Amino acid sequence: MNIPTYAGRPGQAGASLMVVLILLLVMTLLGLAVLRGTLLEERMSSNLYDRSLAFQAAESALRAGEVLAQGSPAAPASGCNAAGVCSQPDAAVAGRWLNTGFTAWVNSTDNLNASGGATAGTPQFIVEFLGVAPTWPGCDRMIPKHELCEAPRYRVTARSAQANRAQVILQTNFIVQ
């Protein structure tokens, strides 16, 4: 009985199998790298969306504080009142918004985004009276002083924060005209 023999190249037995296995390993590593990059991009876009919601909520609270400041509210002699209006800040002390124990924040009632859903965190604000300031440069040096030269100035600080989510703090200086 004759057993058929295959004439092959000597020394080539299994070389193509090794090449294919190495290429398969390389392709698997590339696939895992792409998957990891995709997951990272998904987390980044989620964080950006969360920050955007927090920014919009803080901006709505900032506008609510500006509406309050537009009415030239009377500031208490010290501390803050229930409406969120605070006395003139002490220059030697860090800002109230930096103090983690500060509790006079006022919740803004507008807590909805454009689609009607709840935003990330409850937006809050405070309004600090900064004194009377010139409304245009040099008006306080005019003689006689113009009646519209000086006006009350307020600093409105708004924040939107939620546990384990993005936190946004916005400020604006507001001169009542």
Side-chain angles (χ1 to χ4, degrees):
M1 175 175 211
N2 271 345
I3 298 175
T5 58
Y6 296 101
R9 295 185 189 151
Q12 292 285 324
S16 61
L17 178 63
M18 291 303 293
V19 170
V20 169
L21 286 176
I22 290 172
L23 286 176
L24 183 61
L25 178 66
V26 168
M27 294 301 284
T28 302
L29 292 176
L30 284 174
L32 289 174
V34 167
L35 181 64
R36 185 175 179 171
T38 301
L39 290 174
L40 180 63
E41 287 177 14
E42 185 177 345
R43 271 190 255 140
M44 289 182 342
S45 65
S46 175
N47 288 341
L48 184 62
Y49 177 73
D50 189 38
R51 187 192 173 284
S52 176
L53 286 179
F55 183 85
Q56 291 172 14
E59 193 171 24
S60 74
L62 188 72
R63 300 295 170 238
E66 287 177 347
V67 167
L68 178 63
Q70 182 65 39
S72 297
S78 66
C80 301
N81 62 22
V85 180
C86 301
S87 62
Q88 199 161 1
D90 184 3
V93 178
R96 291 178 172 108
W97 66 92
L98 298 174
N99 183 355
T100 56
F102 181 70
T103 59
W105 293 97
V106 175
N107 290 342
S108 177
T109 56
D110 182 18
N111 193 21
L112 297 177
N113 62 20
S115 63
T119 58
T122 301
Q124 300 173 319
F125 69 90
I126 56 170
V127 177
E128 296 174 287
F129 178 69
L130 298 179
V132 177
T135 55
W136 66 84
C139 75
D140 54 339
R141 294 189 297 265
M142 293 173 50
I143 299 177
K145 191 182 296 184
H146 193 275
E147 63 186 40
L148 298 176
C149 172
E150 293 180 335
R153 186 172 54 139
Y154 297 91
R155 175 174 45 216
V156 181
T157 305
R159 73 176 183 177
S160 175
Q162 187 177 14
N164 300 324
R165 303 301 285 223
Q167 176 176 343
V168 175
I169 297 176
L170 300 175
Q171 280 188 336
T172 184
N173 288 337
F174 190 83
I175 296 176
V176 178
Q177 297 283 330

